[in-house]
Amino acid sequence: MTANQRPLLVLQPSVNTTTVVTTTTTTTTYAPIQLPPLPPPTSPKDPKNYPLLHANLPQSLRHFPLVFPGGARATFRDGEGGDEEMQEEQELASGSGWQMLRRDEEPANTGVVDLAEAVERYGKKRAHAGENLMEGIESTSGAHNNAAHPRKKARAAPLPQISTVNAAAPPSPLPSPHGSPPPENIWPSAPPSGASSPLPQPPLQPDLSLTTLLTLPSLLSHFTSLPPPLQSHFLLTLLRHSPLPVLRTLHSVLTPTLARDFLTLLPAELVSHILSFLPFSTLARASRVSRSWRAIIDSDPVLWRDLLKSTKIWFGGESENAFAASIYARRRAQTQTHLASGAPPIPQSLPLPHPYKILFKSRHLTRTRWVNNPEPKHISFPAHGTSVVTCLIFSHGRIISASDDHSIHVYSPITGELLRSLEGHQGGVWALAASKNTLVSGSTDRTVRIWNLETGKCTHVFGGHTSTVRCLSIVKPEMVDVEHNGVITKEEWPKRPLIVTGSRDHSLRVWTLPRAGEEEYNCFGEDEVEGDTADVDADDNPYHRLHLEGHDHAVRALAARGRILVSGSYDCTVRIWDIVTGHNKWILVGHTQKVYSVVLDPTRNQACSGSMDGTVRVWNLQTGQCQHTLTGHTSLVGLLGLSPSYLVSAAADSTLRIWDPDTGELRHTLAAHTGAITCFQHDEFKVLSGSDGNLKMWNVRDGTVVRDLLTGITGVWQVVFEGRWCVAASNNGDATVLDVWDFGNENDEDWVGEPPTGLYDEDGFSDDDADQIEGIEEDDEQEQADVDAMDQDLVPSESETLDNIEVDQDEDDRRVQRQGGGDGDEIDDRLLVDSDTESTGPAGGVAASRWAPSANAATSTVFTGASSSRSSRSDIATRTGGRPTRPRVAGDASRRGVVVPNTRPPPSLATQRTAPAVDEAVTIRSRARIPRRR
């Protein structure tokens, strides 16, 4: 309370009843009694020692009633806001030609008071004996008015006019501290009338309560001058004599004031350590105690990291850091979008939770909801008629499916509504990849198409492959280890997103992923009339970067991260490429039959491959050696999946096997299907696998069956899941059906799923990040400088032409067409069960590789030729040319590509023998510059 704020004693109006012939009730309103102000508190040296000095008192102590002797009633109001509340609540009296004024309010004019009117309102039958009796009454008319008394008896003589005194309220009924007349003299009797009436009484009789209020300032002054021990003794004596209601009121004031929030007072390290002993359910309740606790708990990364570890849902750090980076990138994008719209910044009452907290909730929900939700929401709807669903992905809340009916469909997982139908391919679509609102597709029509998922428009058509585009991947920028002069540093590669495609024409191609707004391109011309892709020169495409040649048979699978590209081929080999320079770093040889699947593990610096020979091989990317050969499957290993802790293989022998990617140890064999495994996906908690007739969910940690999601169907083509969503494409009778399950509850809206590949669209360069790059030309110049630095010993060779490569492919295509027709790939998956019985003669298997001695065999060591038996082959890796230089060719060689021979001998192994250099060749084509976005 400040010095200008004084406590008030608001008197209730007094009521006098006089009975003569009729009953007249007079109500008198009194001005509040201004009590003596309390002395202003002196500022203490240490405010912490006076916690109640500026504390807000409860309403019950700032506004309470008092009853005086004789029944008079009043209300005590504290000076803090009480006076204003009183003035707002008090109704001002008014009448014809007059009104009562507030204190501090000046009258509009200073006319003569109409006394008769005033007496009629405030003092009928009273005597007036002072000049200040009518303070607060304003006259609005200066005319003299002799109003007659309303009663029918003799009229009293009119009273003389008196001048008004500017005042805000009627006089106070209490004696003045400076010797004013006693109260009974202030309240005069009524004027004489025909009958006697009792004299008005004072509104209240002073008692101990009023005396205490009047002497409170002096009591406070005395108390503050006492020594602290005596103050304590005095207060304790008062408390001992206080009843329970008083003690309860004091307790309600003292308890919150004297309470101490230890979480806000202790150092952050101690707080984190204390909270680490609480289970997550207790932490969730503790975060609802107060805003400060919520902020402390939500923003503590160490707390949630330790909780992830203690509950065994921490998977090494790589996936966790990727998740955190995606959350931060998403928040930045949301903030930039909000500010770009011109809206003011959104105030944050609480700090945003750390990504580790969001990750813990998401993983906890993933672990519990998928198992404990007995009846998830489920919808089913037809898709693609009766055609096979060749590709299925779940991206940004959209289901994207591709089929061999040449179409791509986009569905809503909530309603099953067909949102988009992307038409344009002239053959079956066998490869899909999505990034934000961009979709990339590869088809048997030998083209690669780029789609805008928001509009459904095909913005780019890339040609160059001469056979089916069987696999593709979008490679996003990420931090990778790069060695310079023996020093390993972290660099971001590639500099912008790329597309890598693999084809049955034995080659791979690298393209730049177009950004939104960049120039559209159609390899067939602006009229978009489909032509023969054999007539398309990919070097005319400004987005084409590299043409990687070296495989001797169809490229069946690929995987890419950073600068590393792994490709698996029907030539029984796995190749490791640098997708920035196009350099073929390793040829990994060991499989004895076709390679159908590959995965890349950059965390462990290794790659895995599955083959028709029934084995899974784990390769070291640093040395090129085969670290583990995983055996157990008895048929084609057509599918591989990798998570931070598990490597899962699926084969045509109707089993899935779970391996330890570090040691190669077999952990579990999942054997409950009756037919070949046609699809599967897994994470750190579960495996979903499809086969003939059913779709099963397994516990990846103990290998047990959790539940059957689909039963009694013809076949399951594809299955994907992310977060709370699961989507399966199956064949039920003669119709293709999409089934969607939602394992979340209504309050799980913030359940953030982790993508199966561990790659997030928020990672790497967004469109806004790309605008900060000075230009695409600078990127190309930097990448060309990297090529120049790495390729110093490149020697062109004319010992091979592209015509040689096509011989084996054409022969293989004719063999497949005799079995099922078409381009060959349309029946790959449907022949999955029987494919392990295919011929391994000259058209396939090991014999597809062309090993023959050559004139320069002494300078390039590999192993035995094609006539050697499979059993004599050893698990070796051949290092391709060490430091090639920029190609030096003349004439038209730059458009046909330059064949780079191997000039550096591989590591010495007892089983190595000679082989021609042409089989380890890589073709690097020139790249035109991409036009700068305007």
Side-chain angles (χ1 to χ4, degrees):
M1 185 188 305
T2 62
N4 296 329
Q5 295 176 329
R6 299 174 57 181
L8 305 173
L9 193 62
V10 182
L11 302 180
Q12 294 190 1
S14 63
V15 179
N16 294 328
T17 302
T18 303
T19 304
V20 184
V21 177
T22 60
T23 301
T24 303
T25 300
T26 303
T27 301
T28 305
T29 303
Y30 305 98
I33 300 174
Q34 296 283 347
L35 297 177
L38 298 178
T42 57
S43 300
K45 295 182 180 179
D46 188 0
K48 295 181 179 180
N49 292 332
Y50 295 85
L52 290 175
L53 184 61
H54 301 290
N56 293 325
L57 297 179
Q59 186 67 20
S60 61
L61 298 182
R62 297 176 57 239
H63 184 180
F64 55 86
L66 292 174
V67 180
F68 294 97
R73 296 176 179 274
T75 301
F76 174 82
R77 292 180 183 270
D78 197 352
E80 298 181 0
D83 190 23
E84 291 76 1
E85 294 177 3
M86 184 278 300
Q87 293 188 29
E88 294 177 0
E89 296 176 0
Q90 182 180 4
E91 181 180 357
L92 298 180
S94 62
S96 176
W98 66 275
Q99 63 179 2
M100 177 178 283
L101 300 178
R102 299 179 187 270
R103 295 191 311 274
D104 303 330
E105 182 179 353
E106 297 294 335
N109 52 47
T110 57
V112 179
V113 176
D114 188 346
L115 184 58
E117 181 74 11
V119 172
E120 176 70 15
R121 179 71 179 174
Y122 288 100
K124 294 179 180 180
K125 301 183 297 180
R126 292 183 182 178
H128 304 275
E131 292 183 354
N132 60 345
L133 294 181
M134 301 306 297
E135 290 182 359
I137 305 301
E138 177 186 0
S139 174
T140 57
S141 175
H144 178 69
N145 184 13
N146 293 328
H149 198 278
R151 293 188 297 180
K152 295 182 179 180
K153 297 190 178 183
R155 299 181 181 178
L159 297 176
Q161 299 179 357
I162 59 176
S163 61
T164 183
V165 178
N166 291 335
S172 172
L174 292 180
S176 170
H178 304 291
S180 297
E184 55 270 17
N185 294 333
I186 294 181
W187 301 100
S189 60
S193 62
S196 63
S197 60
L199 294 176
Q201 298 296 324
L204 60 87
Q205 297 295 329
D207 65 346
L208 189 59
S209 300
L210 183 60
T211 304
T212 302
L213 291 175
L214 294 175
T215 59
L216 186 59
S218 61
L219 290 176
L220 181 60
S221 299
H222 288 304
F223 179 80
T224 55
S225 62
L226 297 176
L230 186 53
Q231 288 181 348
S232 301
H233 175 76
F234 175 69
L235 290 178
L236 185 58
T237 302
L238 295 179
L239 293 177
R240 285 175 175 176
H241 293 79
S242 300
L244 184 59
V246 175
L247 295 178
R248 286 174 175 170
T249 303
L250 294 178
H251 180 269
S252 67
V253 176
L254 293 175
T255 299
T257 305
L258 299 180
R260 288 293 179 266
D261 187 353
F262 70 97
L263 289 186
T264 60
L265 298 177
L266 292 176
E269 295 80 3
L270 288 179
V271 172
S272 180
H273 181 68
I274 293 171
L275 295 176
S276 65
F277 292 94
L278 301 179
F280 68 89
S281 57
T282 305
L283 282 176
R285 290 194 296 269
S287 65
R288 295 194 290 267
V289 169
S290 65
R291 289 179 177 270
S292 58
W293 282 34
R294 179 68 173 267
I296 291 173
I297 293 174
D298 283 4
S299 59
D300 188 348
V302 177
L303 172 65
W304 294 105
R305 182 201 63 191
D306 293 344
L307 196 58
L308 285 164
K309 292 181 177 180
S310 64
T311 54
K312 298 182 180 180
I313 53 176
W314 176 273
F315 307 135
E318 291 290 337
S319 61
E320 290 78 9
N321 293 337
F323 183 91
S326 70
I327 294 296
Y328 287 134
R330 189 177 307 174
R331 289 173 179 173
R332 287 194 301 268
Q334 292 174 350
T335 301
Q336 293 172 358
T337 302
H338 180 78
L339 296 178
S341 64
I346 301 176
Q348 295 289 345
S349 58
L350 287 172
L352 294 173
H354 192 273
Y356 282 176
K357 189 221 174 178
I358 302 174
L359 178 62
F360 176 85
K361 181 175 182 179
S362 299
R363 287 182 174 175
H364 175 72
L365 291 176
T366 301
R367 179 171 58 181
T368 57
R369 290 282 193 269
W370 281 72
V371 177
N372 300 331
N373 191 344
E375 296 182 357
K377 300 175 184 176
H378 177 217
I379 62 173
S380 180
F381 51 92
H384 298 283
T386 60
S387 301
V388 175
V389 174
T390 56
C391 303
L392 184 66
I393 59 178
F394 188 91
S395 175
H396 292 275
R398 294 172 294 214
I399 302 171
I400 307 173
S401 62
S403 172
D404 60 359
D405 64 359
H406 309 177
S407 68
I408 302 172
H409 289 175
V410 182
Y411 298 93
S412 166
I414 300 176
T415 63
E417 176 188 2
L418 177 62
L419 303 178
R420 302 278 182 197
S421 181
L422 311 182
E423 306 289 344
H425 279 297
Q426 302 302 311
V429 181
W430 285 86
L432 276 185
S435 176
K436 296 183 180 178
N437 289 318
T438 301
L439 179 69
V440 184
S441 60
S443 169
T444 59
D445 64 8
R446 308 175 182 182
T447 65
V448 177
R449 288 180 177 261
I450 316 296
W451 309 83
N452 185 322
L453 288 175
E454 287 186 328
T455 62
K457 179 182 179 182
C458 179
T459 58
H460 301 76
V461 181
F462 295 165
H465 284 296
T466 57
S467 187
T468 296
V469 179
R470 191 60 183 83
C471 49
L472 64 84
S473 176
I474 296 176
V475 188
K476 303 170 186 176
E478 58 180 298
M479 301 303 294
V480 297
D481 292 331
V482 178
E483 182 177 356
H484 296 288
N485 300 325
V487 179
I488 298 178
T489 59
K490 287 283 187 181
E491 296 181 6
E492 188 172 47
W493 289 101
K495 296 305 181 182
R496 60 173 293 179
L498 304 175
I499 305 170
V500 181
T501 56
S503 170
R504 289 180 59 87
D505 64 7
H506 309 179
S507 70
L508 301 100
R509 292 184 181 269
V510 182
W511 323 76
T512 299
L513 179 66
R515 296 191 183 104
E518 287 186 341
E519 179 183 357
E520 297 184 4
Y521 177 82
N522 188 326
C523 63
F524 300 112
E526 296 182 358
D527 55 0
E528 298 187 2
V529 176
E530 297 291 342
D532 188 357
T533 56
D535 299 331
V536 175
D537 190 346
D539 290 331
D540 295 334
N541 185 345
Y543 297 98
H544 185 253
R545 301 172 70 94
L546 296 172
H547 186 201
L548 309 180
E549 294 181 301
H551 280 297
D552 301 323
H553 214 297
V555 178
R556 181 60 172 78
L558 64 85
R561 292 280 299 272
R563 295 183 64 150
I564 302 175
L565 168 63
V566 181
S567 60
S569 169
Y570 286 169
D571 65 5
C572 311
T573 67
V574 177
R575 290 183 180 246
I576 311 299
W577 314 79
D578 185 323
I579 58 175
V580 175
T581 64
H583 177 56
N584 185 191
K585 299 174 65 176
W586 296 104
I587 302 176
L588 310 178
V589 181
H591 284 296
T592 58
Q593 295 190 44
K594 296 179 179 181
V595 176
Y596 270 79
S597 55
V598 295
V599 291
L600 177 61
D601 188 357
T603 303
R604 299 178 179 86
N605 199 26
Q606 63 188 24
C608 307
S609 58
S611 169
M612 188 185 294
D613 61 14
T615 65
V616 177
R617 293 181 179 268
V618 182
W619 309 90
N620 187 307
L621 299 179
Q622 188 69 28
T623 63
Q625 299 296 317
C626 178
Q627 296 186 154
H628 308 289
T629 300
L630 313 181
T631 60
H633 286 296
T634 60
S635 185
L636 163 69
V637 181
L639 302 169
L640 284 179
L642 180 68
S643 66
S645 306
Y646 303 100
L647 171 66
V648 181
S649 60
D653 61 6
S654 74
T655 67
L656 299 97
R657 292 178 178 261
I658 301 176
W659 314 84
D660 186 329
D662 292 308
T663 63
E665 177 187 358
L666 175 64
R667 293 187 175 181
H668 306 289
T669 299
L670 312 183
H673 289 290
T674 59
I677 309 300
T678 55
C679 60
F680 87 91
Q681 183 178 321
H682 83 285
D683 59 13
E684 292 291 309
F685 305 104
K686 60 189 177 296
V687 180
L688 267 65
S689 60
S691 179
D692 291 343
N694 53 58
L695 175 65
K696 292 183 178 294
M697 181 193 303
W698 312 76
N699 187 325
V700 74
R701 301 191 176 190
D702 58 20
T704 59
V705 177
V706 177
R707 64 170 67 181
D708 286 332
L709 292 177
L710 290 176
T711 58
I713 57 177
T714 305
V716 183
W717 300 120
Q718 303 288 336
V719 63
V720 294
F721 62 80
E722 181 177 325
R724 62 192 293 170
W725 299 101
C726 176
V727 185
S730 61
N731 180 265
N732 192 356
D734 294 333
T736 299
V737 177
L738 289 182
D739 290 273
V740 182
W741 293 268
D742 179 6
F743 287 88
N745 294 334
E746 294 181 356
N747 56 348
D748 294 338
E749 296 299 330
D750 54 348
W751 184 350
V752 181
E754 299 178 73
T757 60
L759 297 177
Y760 297 83
D761 278 345
E762 290 80 10
D763 291 343
F765 285 178
S766 65
D767 291 340
D768 294 330
D769 297 330
D771 293 337
Q772 300 175 4
I773 302 176
E774 294 182 358
I776 300 174
E777 289 82 355
E778 289 78 0
D779 287 344
D780 289 339
E781 292 172 2
Q782 177 62 38
E783 293 170 11
Q784 185 60 45
D786 295 331
V787 174
D788 296 340
M790 297 180 65
D791 302 346
Q792 299 297 322
D793 302 314
L794 190 65
V795 179
S797 173
E798 298 180 2
S799 59
E800 168 140 341
T801 64
L802 294 178
D803 296 333
N804 299 15
I805 301 176
E806 295 297 333
V807 175
D808 292 332
Q809 179 63 63
D810 295 338
E811 189 173 353
D812 182 73
D813 285 343
R814 287 192 296 271
R815 178 182 60 82
V816 175
Q817 289 172 2
R818 287 194 299 270
Q819 294 181 1
D823 197 41
D825 280 328
E826 295 148 311
I827 60 170
D828 276 350
D829 289 335
R830 283 172 283 178
L831 295 177
L832 198 60
V833 182
D834 301 325
S835 56
D836 58 342
T837 62
E838 291 179 358
S839 170
T840 55
V846 178
S849 301
R850 292 171 287 107
W851 306 109
S854 66
N856 58 352
T859 62
S860 179
T861 59
V862 193
F863 38 79
T864 61
S867 60
S868 301
S869 65
R870 297 192 192 101
S871 59
S872 65
R873 291 181 179 270
S874 302
D875 300 337
I876 63 173
T878 305
R879 179 81 182 202
T880 60
R883 299 179 60 85
T885 60
R886 184 186 305 176
R888 298 187 297 272
V889 293
D892 193 48
S894 62
R895 297 192 54 86
R896 296 176 50 209
V898 180
V899 180
V900 184
N902 298 311
T903 58
R904 181 178 176 180
S908 58
L909 295 173
T911 56
Q912 290 178 352
R913 300 184 184 178
T914 60
V918 294
D919 291 291
E920 300 155 350
V922 61
T923 300
I924 302 178
R925 293 192 180 272
S926 60
R927 291 183 286 110
R929 296 196 182 276
I930 301 175
R932 184 193 298 269
R933 182 173 58 182
R934 299 297 182 186

